[in-house]
């Protein structure tokens, strides 16, 4: 999963929802962005199908 702005925003939203719903925690926006970047780095890129 690349670090596009769309992927980062989706990751931020996911992390924010999980923390708020399950742990009732708010997160600093800078820490949230850092966590989203790490999440995007950890997820593999989709494999291209052979033509």
């Amino acid at each position: 999963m690349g670090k596009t702005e769309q992927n980062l925003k989706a990751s931020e939203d996911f992390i924010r929802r999980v923390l708020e719903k399950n742990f009732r925690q708010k997160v600093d926006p800078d820490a949230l962005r850092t966590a989203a970047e790490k999440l995007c780095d950890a997820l593999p890129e989709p494999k291209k199908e052979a033509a």
Side-chain angles (χ1 to χ4, degrees):
M1 181 175 199
K3 278 195 208 175
T4 65
E5 191 60 34
Q6 182 180 8
N7 287 346
L8 288 171
K9 187 68 175 156
S11 295
E12 286 178 357
D13 291 341
F14 170 76
I15 294 166
R16 183 182 307 108
R17 281 194 318 270
V18 168
L19 291 175
E20 287 177 355
K21 180 179 179 185
N22 297 314
F23 303 104
R24 296 180 191 358
Q25 292 183 349
K26 301 271 184 198
V27 179
D28 174 66
D30 292 332
L32 189 59
R33 176 53 67 131
T34 300
E37 289 173 351
K38 289 180 181 181
L39 179 60
C40 286
D41 287 342
L43 296 173
E45 293 287 331
K47 292 184 179 179
K48 305 264 192 251
E49 291 188 26

